[in-house]
Structures are given as C-alpha cells and as structure tokens.
Amino acid sequence: ALVAAGGALIAIDLGHQRLHGSVISFDTETRVDEVVDLGREHDAQADVSTVAALVERLLEASGVPRSSILRVCVGLHAPYESVSRTISPSAILPGWEGLDVEAVLSDRLQLPVVVDNDANFAALAEWTWGAGRGAREFLYVKSSNGIGSGLVLGGQVYRGGNGMAGELGHVVVDVRGALCNCGNRGCLSAVASGRALLLELAAAGAPRETLQQVIADARAGDLACRRILAEAGRHIGLGLAHAVKLIAPSTIVLGGELAAAGPLVFDSIRSELAANTQQTISGPPRLEQGILRGDMCILGCTASVLAEIGTGMSELPQWMLSPSGRRVKEYS
C-alpha cells in the first residue's frame, strides 16, 4: 500500500511578470494559494524580498508551522543550469543572472529550497498523474506565453550535463524567422509561442488580447486565427521531429494554453511529424493533450517532494486541485 504523505511543502512558480505561491499540507489536506504581480523589470533583491514576504503570508494564511515544511520548490520560467544553480544569460529574469538561486533563496527563507525549470516540474506532474503516466521515455512540451519542455527518461527527469536538457523552445525551425530573446532567429518560442502568435496577428492588423481569444475565434471560423494556429502546429511538429530522431520518446504530451486548441493545432503537428521522422515498424510516438491547468508547475513541485520522501499519491485529490480562496485557471 502507498504510505500516506505527512508534513507540508511550499511551491513557488516564478514567472516573467507573476509569482504564484502555494502551501500544500498533507497533514490537514489543505492548499492555500496567492498570486503576486511582479511587473516587467526584474531585480533579484526585490524579487527575493517578494518571495520571502509571500512565503510568510502563505504560512500565516494556512496555519502551517514552519517546522512542518519539508521543502520549498521553486520553478523558474527561465533556462536554469542546475549544475551551477544559476540562470543562463538571457533576456528572461535578467536581474537573476549569475546568482546561485538556490543558495540565495535558502539563506533568505531559512528553509530547504529546491530549484528547477518550470517545464521540468510540469513534465513531472504530467508523467505522475497525466497522459504521460507509465511512459519510460516521455517528452512534455508546455506552450503558453513561451515554449518549454521537460524530459523524463527511465523514470527520472533528465537534465543533461549542465542541467539544461530539453530546451525545445530554442530549437531553430525557421532560419529567417523572428528574432528570439536568446539572440538566434527562428527559435520555436519566437515563431510558435502564444506571445509570438499575438505579435504576428497584431502586425497583420488583427490584434487579439489573449491566446484563448485566438483559439475561440478560430473555432468560430476566423481565417487568420485558424491559419496562425495551424502554422504554429507545423513549427512545433518540426521541432518535435528533431527530438524524435534524437531521443525516440514513446509518448509526447503537449500542455499549456496552446494545447487547448485541440485539432486546430494537433492535426498540423501530426502531419509535420509524419513528414519529417523516419518510418518505423512500431509507428510514431503517441501524441496526447496534457492536463489543461495553469498550475502544472505547482503540481510538479508536489510530485517532486512526494518522490523525494518516498510516498505515493496515485490520483490527485480534489483538495489539491481546489486551493482555498482562489480558482486555478483552466484552459478550454
């Protein structure tokens, strides 16, 4: 039988403009969340203070004592080198470059801290409870404002020699494409992410406020929105074809906001995969839609802590899916 989990954890999803924190208590079967807007400019000292203040508010709101906290898990929306424990040079979270993120946060919070890329945590959640469950060679792709991915090989998240394995968003799929914040042209994130699609529609005189609006309008028959979603699928399919040739995953799962487009995106992904991968007797990898929730990083932090302490949770309980005081964004 699975041993029941005890204690509690704090999960932090640190994005470009938003900080999402959650206290998850296994003892009381409660989850308390709070979201904080960070703005566009990042200063590491200010961000650390914001994280620390959020942690204190979460502990107070949940009534969980600090002594019960097993880990603080922090998912970064940035290329994270787990070996050096630093964010690689990029335009993403620039104020954090060169800092030992784990050491800085551990010292400030006076709690044990584990840091990883947000897509790695999301991949772990999908592999533990979603469409990737049971797959030995599993590739998870998160496509929302940007594009990230995580690899689970042999039952563990694979990070590579420097900790940055799985940066599918920076695979070049169009050498003449848009400029990426990493300095290259035509990266998958620069041509197929939600941010890229909104910029392209705005440049064409057909602006939309959100990716969800693009998907809704495409379903209603808008030709520009349908076209841009299909093109995004083709770009993603080409990027996945390169990954298939290198690691041959048995299962690929697309999550994030773009995955909610369903056949509007998946049809062109499958077509591009079929055209650009080697034919095999066993057939192409299984391609599935992921869990359509905006808190996959938080759930992945939970899966990470459960694995570390050696306890199991075969299904996500309702109390963990419905945090106190707020509604988690779901994509549809």
Side-chain angles (χ1 to χ4, degrees), residues 13 53 128 133 174 192 215 268 285 297:
D13 186 354
T128 304
R133 184 186 298 197
D174 182 0
I215 294 170
S268 51
C297 178

Side-chain angles (χ1 to χ4, degrees), residues 112 171 217:
V171 170
D217 288 351

Side-chain angles (χ1 to χ4, degrees), residues 124-304:
L124 188 57
E126 192 72 55
W127 180 77
T128 304
W129 294 300
R133 184 186 298 197
R136 286 189 57 80
E137 299 83 20
F138 170 58
L139 173 61
Y140 176 80
V141 182
K142 176 190 173 186
S143 181
S144 292
N145 188 50
I147 293 180
S149 64
L151 281 167
V152 178
L153 303 179
Q156 296 199 3
V157 174
Y158 178 75
R159 297 179 176 85
N162 62 1
M164 288 178 58
E167 284 293 331
L168 186 72
H170 294 287
V171 170
V172 175
V173 293
D174 182 0
V175 294
R176 295 183 177 84
L179 186 66
C180 184
N181 55 31
C182 73
N184 288 324
R185 278 197 178 275
C187 291
L188 195 55
S189 283
V191 299
S193 66
R195 179 178 60 251
L197 303 190
L198 292 175
L199 286 173
E200 190 168 351
L201 283 169
R208 300 298 195 280
E209 291 294 324
T210 66
L211 183 55
Q212 287 182 305
Q213 185 183 353
V214 174
I215 294 170
D217 288 351
R219 286 176 178 153
D222 185 276
L223 295 180
C225 291
R226 293 181 70 89
R227 174 63 179 264
I228 206 166
L229 290 175
E231 288 181 350
R234 283 194 288 273
H235 287 308
I236 292 172
L238 181 57
L240 289 177
H242 295 318
V244 168
K245 292 168 188 173
L246 286 173
I247 60 174
S250 59
T251 302
I252 299 172
V253 172
L254 178 65
E257 288 181 88
L258 190 63
L264 292 167
V265 168
F266 278 83
D267 286 352
S268 51
I269 292 177
R270 289 191 170 92
S271 176
E272 203 68 24
L273 270 174
N276 289 282
T277 53
Q278 292 176 298
Q279 299 299 309
T280 62
I281 298 299
S282 57
R286 184 167 61 99
L287 177 64
E288 300 287 348
Q289 185 182 64
I291 300 171
L292 300 179
R293 291 177 59 93
D295 62 345
M296 289 298 287
C297 178
I298 302 294
L299 296 178
C301 290
T302 306
S304 173

Side-chain angles (χ1 to χ4, degrees), residues 290-328:
I291 300 171
L292 300 179
R293 291 177 59 93
D295 62 345
M296 289 298 287
C297 178
I298 302 294
L299 296 178
C301 290
T302 306
S304 173
V305 171
L306 288 172
E308 185 176 348
I309 64 178
T311 61
M313 186 175 288
S314 58
E315 300 292 338
L316 284 166
Q318 190 57 44
W319 65 265
M320 195 181 295
L321 296 173
S322 304
S324 173
R326 67 176 299 106
R327 183 176 181 271
V328 173

Side-chain angles (χ1 to χ4, degrees), residues 16 28 146:
H16 310 153
T28 61

